[in-house]
Amino acid sequence: MATGKINVSVENIFPLIKKFLYSDHEIFLRELISNATDATLKLKHLTSIGEAKVEYGNPLIEIKVDKDAKKIHIIDQGIGMTEDEVKKYINEVAFSGAEEFLDKYKDAGKDAGIIGHFGLGFYSAFMVAEKVEIITKSFKDEPAVHWSCDGSPEFELKKAKKEDRGTEIVLHVAEDSTEFLEDSRIRELLTKYNKFMPIPIKFGTKTETLPKPEGAKEEDPAPTKEVDDIINNPNPAWTKKPSDLKDEDYKGFYRELYPMQFEEPLFNIHLNVDYPFNLTGILYFPKLTNDLNIQKDKIQLYQNQVFVTDNVEGIVPEFLTMLRGVIDSPDIPLNVSRSYLQADGAVKKISSYITKKVADKLSSLFKNSREDFEQKWNDIKVVIEYGMLSEDKFFEKADKFALYPTIDGKYFTFEELEAKIKDTQTDKDDKLVILYASDKEAQHSYIEAAKAKGYEVLLLDSPIVPHLMQKLETSKEKISFARVDADHIDNLIKKEDTTISKLSDEEKEKLKGEIEKVIDPSKGFTVQLEAMDSSAQPFIITEPEFMRRMKDMQQTGGGGMFGMGNMPDMFNLIVNTNNELVGEILNTKTAKKRERLINQSLDLARLSKGLLKGEELTNFINRSYDMIK
């Protein structure tokens, strides 16, 4: 037997490890199972190249919890260690790594890292254990070894009686960590971190029902047997070749990842690249709502099938964080802060690759099955519009397949839309005006006025649209977007022919004064007199496109950049000087009747715009009934 002192200058290394190493003590199990997996895979490799003359078989990793003795056992059938290897890898390498870690990161505290990048994985055991034992036997023909340490720099090393190859780690669980002696807690951690580890993990047994023997009666119970409870899937879909998977395999894996998600994904994208970095994975497009806040943290990041995090910001472009699925890469530096992550060259290449793969998949879906793509558009548009807004390379590709639906349910690409409306919706300044509605019901009368002119009206209702329109207007020449209720239709697309007003300038001045006398200034209306077709409505309320768009952008986090604070509601009241009712308002003999006609016309316009509510709506209804009587 040998005893010794671990050669470290930091005497209180264990309290420091406990305090600084990880923000979550629960990852000790992930680290120890990762080590056990590495040991097993190394043996498999050495066996395959003829350097290990052993039977590899079908090894597994076993976890045992002894609640009464307050112990957790992690047992593998891997490569094992000799006495010299224990001295080197446990006493020297890990602790030189520990000092490097502390020297570099102790000021950063818990933000510093998540994985045992410095050989510290094994020492995460001391976050939950007051004493740790290693009983190990190498695949080489050498005696088994027993190492133990009680959390001080002192260790004990002696021969062990272990006959079979592999390593057993025994954790004597500390009083402040007894939650990890509960089977349910261990099962939760195994499911969270080790669900797809490449080696089968056994945790207890389960009862399996067998087929009834021939000749058994119906009332006879079916026979059962106890079998190992393997809690992981060592060969998840993302580790297989796309050519080996069918659509049902992808859907089955989605259900495995998200057992509580009952809606099927719309489609998937299989990632597989080995140069200039290694990355595999499967991303799924779920049905998305217009809410941009509730979708994130659904993509799981793995490193060699070990779960690391579901916060993939910086690795996956932000617009794709609303997707679901798995990314697995050994090339992502995981033990550093996010700011470093975002500046890392490999990570930037990975992010660009993922963006390209998603764009290519969407492009091929559009080209090969346009009808299906159109049906899915409303469920995926938020991601595509967000991507076009935030990533220039994605914008270039998506510009060919992004769709612009009309209120009649037709779908155009931008190029198709341009060709369709060029002749009718180009104004006198040679600018193409693209009309859109955000709410088919609320803007119905404005839509109908545009359709009566033979114009197409798009239905653009996602929260990103105001920002995207700005981008399109600046990246394309001579186009502008205008919501159908931003002005009277003749003003939205101004042509050369102008309608002549039936009223003289003096009459118009008088009419404007009479209307402004009646209208409550607190409602924020600006009165504008326009000569329009006599069949057009007498009073039309519009919202200036620029001001309303800025307001919309502000609500989705972009308005602040314009320095406008909380913008008030602003409306134009457009009065059609050629409408018969407007002539009657001007020429009526009594002020009382004039006031009544103005109020009724204004309230009808407000009703059409959805602005008449509460007490004012009740008063309008009562007044309308009185007029009928």
Side-chain angles (χ1 to χ4, degrees):
M1 184 180 92
T3 59
K5 194 166 184 179
I6 298 166
N7 185 23
V8 285
S9 58
V10 185
E11 283 294 316
N12 58 344
I13 192 95
F14 289 101
L16 281 168
I17 282 176
K18 200 157 190 169
K19 185 176 179 187
F20 288 122
L21 183 53
Y22 299 98
S23 56
D24 248 333
H25 285 186
E26 67 178 36
I27 59 81
F28 79 92
L29 192 61
R30 180 191 74 187
E31 294 299 306
L32 296 177
I33 291 176
S34 296
N35 288 350
T37 302
D38 286 345
T40 312
L41 293 174
K42 277 176 188 165
L43 183 66
K44 181 183 181 182
H45 176 67
L46 292 178
T47 307
S48 71
I49 61 172
E51 285 201 18
K53 311 288 186 192
V54 297
E55 285 295 317
Y56 181 74
N58 296 304
L60 52 75
I61 295 163
E62 184 173 7
I63 316 299
K64 292 179 180 174
V65 176
D66 183 341
K67 192 172 180 179
D68 294 334
K70 294 187 178 176
K71 288 195 283 191
I72 299 171
H73 302 253
I74 295 104
I75 305 157
D76 71 57
Q77 298 158 18
I79 198 167
M81 286 183 281
T82 63
E83 184 174 343
D84 285 344
E85 285 167 342
V86 170
K87 286 176 183 173
K88 181 180 177 183
Y89 294 117
I90 302 300
N91 294 346
E92 293 171 22
V93 175
F95 268 96
S96 64
E99 289 198 278
E100 182 187 342
F101 173 89
L102 291 165
D103 184 48
K104 193 170 181 182
Y105 288 116
K106 61 183 175 185
D107 293 337
K110 291 183 176 181
D111 187 41
I114 30 177
I115 223 167
H117 194 72
F118 298 103
L120 282 167
F122 165 71
Y123 279 96
S124 64
F126 284 97
M127 294 190 301
V128 299
E130 57 192 15
K131 179 183 175 185
V132 178
E133 299 176 77
I134 303 172
I135 302 139
T136 183
K137 180 167 172 46
S138 171
F139 74 98
K140 300 167 187 170
D141 189 18
E142 293 203 30
V145 187
H146 183 169
W147 178 95
S148 63
C149 179
D150 64 0
S152 70
E154 311 291 333
F155 70 88
E156 182 180 291
L157 190 60
K158 60 184 180 183
K159 289 195 169 40
K161 293 178 180 175
K162 184 174 170 63
E163 298 293 328
D164 49 334
R165 177 196 72 241
T167 300
E168 178 175 359
I169 308 283
V170 184
L171 309 181
H172 297 258
V173 176
E175 283 303 322
D176 64 356
S177 298
T178 53
E179 63 176 289
F180 299 112
L181 293 169
E182 300 296 333
D183 279 5
S184 59
R185 183 75 170 110
I186 294 296
R187 188 171 292 278
E188 176 198 337
L189 296 184
L190 292 173
T191 304
K192 178 176 178 180
Y193 291 110
N194 307 103
K195 194 175 180 179
F196 300 112
M197 293 291 278
I199 304 297
I201 299 166
K202 175 187 172 185
F203 184 52
T205 59
K206 61 182 178 180
T207 305
E208 199 172 81
T209 304
L210 301 171
K212 286 185 181 181
E214 210 174 312
K217 294 175 183 173
E218 199 175 324
E219 62 269 19
D220 290 346
T224 59
K225 71 169 180 177
E226 289 294 303
V227 295
D228 290 346
D229 189 2
I230 304 298
I231 57 91
N232 61 322
N233 171 4
N235 302 297
W238 84 81
T239 63
K240 299 173 185 174
K241 292 178 186 168
S243 56
D244 294 340
L245 296 167
K246 297 184 176 68
D247 194 41
E248 195 41 57
D249 296 320
Y250 286 112
K251 286 179 180 172
F253 181 56
Y254 185 77
R255 288 189 287 271
E256 207 176 331
L257 282 174
Y258 310 106
M260 300 311 290
Q261 182 65 39
F262 302 112
E263 273 192 337
E264 295 278 307
L266 298 166
F267 51 86
N268 62 269
I269 298 159
H270 200 128
L271 307 169
N272 195 346
V273 63
D274 54 19
Y275 181 81
F277 48 82
N278 279 292
L279 181 134
T280 53
I282 299 170
L283 294 179
Y284 293 91
F285 263 79
K287 281 191 173 184
L288 293 167
T289 67
N290 276 348
D291 187 340
L292 300 178
N293 299 314
I294 61 168
Q295 310 291 346
K296 298 185 182 180
D297 295 344
K298 294 288 188 183
I299 296 176
Q300 300 174 10
L301 178 66
Y302 288 76
Q303 195 181 63
N304 297 323
Q305 291 176 238
V306 183
F307 175 76
V308 176
T309 180
D310 52 13
N311 179 357
V312 293
E313 267 183 76
I315 298 160
V316 173
E318 192 181 356
F319 77 98
L320 294 176
T321 55
M322 291 179 275
L323 302 189
R324 292 181 184 161
V326 164
I327 290 170
D328 190 330
S329 175
D331 292 330
I332 297 171
L334 297 172
N335 61 310
V336 284
S337 66
R338 247 186 68 215
S339 58
Y340 179 87
L341 239 188
Q342 288 162 339
D344 184 78
V347 171
K348 282 185 174 173
K349 283 178 187 159
I350 286 170
S351 180
S352 297
Y353 166 77
I354 293 169
T355 300
K356 182 181 180 302
K357 283 293 285 185
V358 170
D360 290 348
K361 174 74 175 188
L362 291 164
S363 181
S364 83
L365 284 171
F366 172 73
K367 285 174 187 165
N368 300 331
S369 181
R370 174 149 181 178
E371 192 180 335
D372 185 46
F373 189 79
E374 287 180 0
Q375 285 174 356
K376 289 173 177 166
W377 177 252
N378 280 331
D379 294 316
I380 62 175
K381 66 185 177 189
V382 171
V383 171
I384 295 171
E385 289 167 354
Y386 194 2
M388 289 175 75
L389 191 64
S390 56
E391 301 267 336
D392 285 341
K393 283 187 178 171
F394 185 78
F395 180 93
E396 285 167 28
K397 287 178 179 280
D399 200 28
K400 306 280 192 300
F401 59 72
L403 294 178
Y404 299 85
T406 71
I407 41 110
D408 299 320
K410 289 179 283 187
Y411 290 86
F412 297 107
T413 62
F414 193 87
E415 198 178 327
E416 291 164 351
L417 178 69
E418 206 171 16
K420 176 89 167 60
I421 66 173
K422 197 164 190 171
D423 292 341
T424 51
Q425 290 178 223
T426 301
D427 70 9
K428 63 184 177 64
D429 300 319
D430 204 30
K431 184 177 264 192
L432 187 69
V433 181
I434 301 164
L435 300 174
Y436 72 99
S438 57
D439 186 324
K440 242 194 323 193
E441 299 303 314
Q443 292 147 15
H444 182 267
S445 63
Y446 300 90
I447 293 166
E448 290 304 305
K451 284 169 76 174
K453 293 269 187 185
Y455 298 153
E456 285 286 355
V457 181
L458 302 181
L459 179 61
L460 304 178
D461 58 0
S462 87
I464 292 158
V465 156
H467 303 271
L468 184 59
M469 287 186 300
Q470 296 285 109
K471 171 120 181 171
L472 289 162
E473 285 169 345
T474 52
S475 62
K476 295 182 183 294
E477 285 184 14
K478 290 199 156 189
I479 69 148
S480 70
F481 284 82
R483 204 167 84 177
V484 285
D485 59 349
D487 206 331
H488 181 260
I489 193 64
D490 290 342
N491 289 339
L492 290 177
I493 306 177
K494 279 189 186 263
K495 303 287 186 178
E496 293 296 352
D497 56 320
T498 52
T499 309
I500 297 166
S501 175
K502 290 179 182 177
L503 304 183
S504 67
D505 288 347
E506 290 87 356
E507 286 174 316
K508 283 194 273 189
E509 277 301 310
K510 184 184 174 193
L511 176 65
K512 190 177 181 189
E514 295 291 353
I515 292 170
E516 285 175 341
K517 251 194 271 179
V518 174
I519 289 178
D520 181 351
S522 69
K523 302 293 182 213
F525 289 112
T526 302
V527 178
Q528 288 179 209
L529 273 56
E530 301 273 356
M532 297 184 276
D533 193 284
S534 60
S535 62
Q537 292 174 1
F539 282 22
I540 300 165
I541 293 171
T542 63
E543 263 183 285
E545 174 71 17
F546 175 78
M547 299 303 284
R548 184 201 45 71
R549 199 189 293 184
M550 291 303 105
K551 200 169 180 192
D552 286 351
M553 289 170 76
Q554 197 176 49
Q555 287 173 352
T556 50
M561 69 181 94
F562 298 97
M564 294 191 175
N566 285 325
M567 294 166 62
D569 288 326
M570 292 182 68
F571 299 104
N572 291 330
L573 173 63
I574 297 174
V575 179
N576 180 4
T577 59
N578 290 341
N579 184 280
E580 196 180 330
L581 178 59
V582 171
E584 192 180 338
I585 288 170
L586 177 66
N587 298 317
T588 191
K589 297 288 184 275
T590 66
K592 199 170 181 185
K593 184 182 178 186
R594 184 182 297 115
E595 189 177 330
R596 194 176 77 242
L597 289 173
I598 291 170
N599 278 327
Q600 192 70 3
S601 302
L602 176 63
D603 281 354
L604 282 164
R606 291 172 70 204
L607 190 65
S608 171
K609 182 77 178 158
L611 296 172
L612 199 60
K613 292 169 184 165
E615 186 182 350
E616 291 178 322
L617 178 58
T618 306
N619 291 341
F620 167 75
I621 292 166
N622 292 336
R623 188 170 71 238
S624 300
Y625 279 130
D626 288 343
M627 288 169 75
I628 294 169
K629 281 188 255 177

